[in-house]
Amino acid sequence: MFVTRPYLPPLDELLPLLEGIWERRWLTNHGPLHQRFEAELRNFLSTPFISPTANGMLALEIAIEAAELSGEIITTPYSFVATTHAIRRSQLTPVFVDIRRDDVNMDPHRVEERITEKTSAIVAVHCYGNPCDLERLQDLADRHSLKLLYDAAHAFGVRHKGRSVLASGDFSTLSFHATKAFNTFEGGAIISKSASAKSVIDQLCNFGITDEVTIQAVGANAKMNEFSAALGLIQLMHFAHAQEGRRKVDKRYREALHNVPGIELIDIPPETEPNYSYFPVFVTEEFRLSRDGLYEELKSHGIMSRRYFYPLLSTLPMYRSFESAAPANLPVATRAAEQILCLPIYHDLSEADQDRVIEILMP
Ligand code: T4K
């Protein structure tokens, strides 16, 4: 049993779209399925400007480039490595700030303390799909004239106060990787806020090409191919079903584990419609095993949990010498990286398999 298992729709639903690809021999470069997927994503996510991409990391790199940032970027150390690498690969300096224990997202108070004249943006992550403090981060960005980017890799379909979380900030990026709530094998998307920003993004995703004889920017190849777009079109029709499967698993874990000494759950934040793609628990000193001990015990029973997100990004060799990486600046994130374990959750995790996990966690 793995920490996740990708949702795949019935193959026969996909085949007609694949036959179309075979007939047209149009495999990539904004083909008809890319265009259809883009239009359907726009409606599905209620977001007017969206550009499908090859993956979530390139989506973030392109969004950072489109935002025209410089100097220092305030960000979280508690994420997947793609977040900080995307900042660094754009020749910018990540400045790490601590997170809040209740939702493991960046703490706006710590963000404010770190703003200097070199700061050009905040890159926040909706970790495990928990919405960041959208209002306070926007207020900080507005007061200090900073760009606000969300790495929303975990937050496909997540809504807060009746709105998609993707409606917040200047840019948001999604990942459609196999392990995500919504997958196209590999894939991603960039959400922007205007037609002009989207047009810059589309150009940057296609080598900076404007037309056959005009290349206006040093772009990348970040386009989504037709196969992924075909799968995405079918996956959209199944998202609610897959989400419902995960919701049931989430509910059973919460009912079984809420009173286990030494196991602390992360509550679903108020006014949030989650996508249930991760089930993180804090394994505290009160538990009979350390977090790593529990990881090993689960593994010995064939249950592959994951330590998302350990190691903390600020401790990686390429970041640990940054002044903001000092563990004393990041006590909450340091504890989270030491204590959190993500338990298996996916749409068709059987009750019997889930009970095997729960049994091992019981006192
Ligand atoms: N920002 C954030 C906050 C992210 O979390 C990520 C990616 C990104 C940006 C970048 O997005 P992408 O460029 O990836 O689109 C995984 C994923 O590779 C990565 O996409 C994801 N975050 C990260 C949180 O998790 P690993 O190292 O855990 O993957 P892996 O291969 O060990 O897979 C985990 C488990 O999933 C496996 O034990 C079994 C299962 N699995 C995996 C794959 C690939 C399957 O059942 N089928 C599969 O095809 O990183």
Side-chain angles (χ1 to χ4, degrees), residues 2-4 6 55-57 79-80 82-83 125 151 153-154 175 177-180 187 278 306 308-309:
F2 293 113
V3 69
T4 188
N55 59 56
M57 170 133 182
S79 181
F80 185 62
T83 310
V125 178
D151 177 344
H154 303 173
S175 163
H177 183 262
T179 56
K180 295 298 190 293
Y278 294 88
R306 286 304 279 263
Y308 296 134
F309 289 101

Side-chain angles (χ1 to χ4, degrees), residues 298-360:
L298 287 165
K299 194 169 163 186
S300 73
H301 287 82
I303 299 164
M304 307 309 228
S305 60
R306 286 304 279 263
R307 286 163 286 200
Y308 296 134
F309 289 101
Y310 171 86
L312 198 62
L313 301 179
S314 48
T315 66
L316 298 181
M318 63 298 272
Y319 302 123
R320 67 170 70 119
S321 62
F322 289 39
E323 184 254 321
S324 65
N329 283 334
L330 308 166
V332 184
T334 302
R335 297 278 288 165
E338 284 165 2
Q339 292 191 330
I340 287 185
L341 192 63
C342 287
L343 303 180
I345 185 165
Y346 41 90
H347 70 284
D348 59 352
L349 179 62
S350 68
E351 292 193 354
D353 277 347
Q354 190 177 9
D355 287 344
R356 284 174 51 215
V357 180
I358 291 169
E359 230 165 77
I360 293 169

Side-chain angles (χ1 to χ4, degrees), residues 43-61:
N43 291 336
F44 191 89
L45 297 170
S46 324
T47 185
F49 304 104
I50 188 159
S51 308
T53 61
N55 59 56
M57 170 133 182
L58 274 171
L60 193 52
E61 287 192 29

Side-chain angles (χ1 to χ4, degrees), residues 20-330:
I21 298 177
W22 260 246
E23 278 158 25
R24 283 187 297 274
R25 301 285 165 122
W26 194 273
L27 311 186
T28 184
N29 289 9
H30 300 100
L33 294 177
H34 179 122
Q35 289 173 35
R36 253 180 77 191
F37 180 51
E38 180 176 309
E40 294 207 11
L41 260 184
R42 195 186 306 137
N43 291 336
F44 191 89
L45 297 170
S46 324
T47 185
F49 304 104
I50 188 159
S51 308
T53 61
N55 59 56
M57 170 133 182
L58 274 171
L60 193 52
E61 287 192 29
I62 301 274
I64 287 170
E65 191 172 353
E68 299 184 342
L69 308 182
S70 61
E72 296 181 354
I73 311 298
I74 299 180
T75 191
T76 172
Y78 193 74
S79 181
F80 185 62
V81 67
T83 310
T84 316
H85 276 4
I87 295 170
R88 199 58 187 147
R89 284 167 57 79
S90 308
Q91 319 304 323
L92 298 160
T93 305
V95 174
F96 298 111
V97 298
D98 210 359
I99 59 171
R100 307 189 292 202
R101 160 115 185 173
D102 56 350
D103 61 6
V104 296
N105 283 327
M106 252 164 44
D107 183 339
H109 293 296
R110 304 284 89 80
V111 174
E112 184 146 32
E113 288 164 8
R114 282 280 169 177
I115 297 173
T116 69
E117 69 285 352
K118 291 190 194 145
T119 312
S120 65
I122 300 166
V123 172
V125 178
H126 303 300
C127 194
Y128 308 132
N130 292 331
C132 291
D133 194 331
L134 305 171
E135 281 126 33
R136 280 158 83 188
L137 289 178
Q138 190 62 59
D139 174 59
L140 281 175
D142 291 345
R143 280 196 285 114
H144 296 274
S145 304
L146 304 176
K147 293 272 173 52
L148 178 54
L149 282 74
Y150 285 106
D151 177 344
H154 303 173
F156 186 93
V158 173
R159 297 173 71 79
H160 183 65
K161 295 190 176 167
R163 287 175 86 206
S164 165
V165 291
L166 305 172
S168 299
D170 297 292
F171 298 91
S172 293
T173 59
L174 290 166
S175 163
F176 304 153
H177 183 262
T179 56
K180 295 298 190 293
F182 175 87
N183 85 79
T184 59
F185 279 24
E186 291 262 9
I190 305 170
I191 290 86
S192 47
K193 290 298 148 60
S194 66
S196 58
K198 175 173 160 46
S199 137
V200 169
I201 282 165
D202 288 343
Q203 226 177 64
L204 288 172
C205 286
N206 189 31
F207 308 99
I209 294 173
T210 315
D211 61 40
E212 246 181 80
V213 291
T214 322
I215 298 171
Q216 279 180 320
V218 186
N221 180 0
K223 302 176 302 278
M224 175 173 275
N225 67 64
E226 288 287 278
F227 186 95
S228 290
L231 179 58
L233 280 164
I234 308 295
Q235 294 280 47
L236 281 179
M237 296 192 277
H238 289 262
F239 179 72
H241 167 67
Q243 185 182 25
E244 177 56 16
R246 290 190 303 268
R247 188 191 65 75
K248 287 187 181 145
V249 176
D250 180 285
K251 186 163 176 273
R252 280 187 97 237
Y253 272 140
R254 287 182 191 279
E255 284 166 2
L257 300 176
H258 76 282
N259 268 337
V260 175
I263 296 293
E264 291 180 14
L265 310 184
I266 298 181
D267 291 337
I268 295 172
E271 298 182 83
T272 296
E273 297 161 51
N275 64 19
Y276 310 102
S277 45
Y278 294 88
F279 199 87
V281 297
F282 282 90
V283 183
T284 70
E285 291 79 3
E286 263 190 273
F287 194 69
R288 65 185 169 83
L289 293 167
S290 66
R291 187 275 309 268
D292 289 351
L294 177 58
Y295 168 86
E296 292 298 340
E297 184 161 327
L298 287 165
K299 194 169 163 186
S300 73
H301 287 82
I303 299 164
M304 307 309 228
S305 60
R306 286 304 279 263
R307 286 163 286 200
Y308 296 134
F309 289 101
Y310 171 86
L312 198 62
L313 301 179
S314 48
T315 66
L316 298 181
M318 63 298 272
Y319 302 123
R320 67 170 70 119
S321 62
F322 289 39
E323 184 254 321
S324 65
N329 283 334
L330 308 166

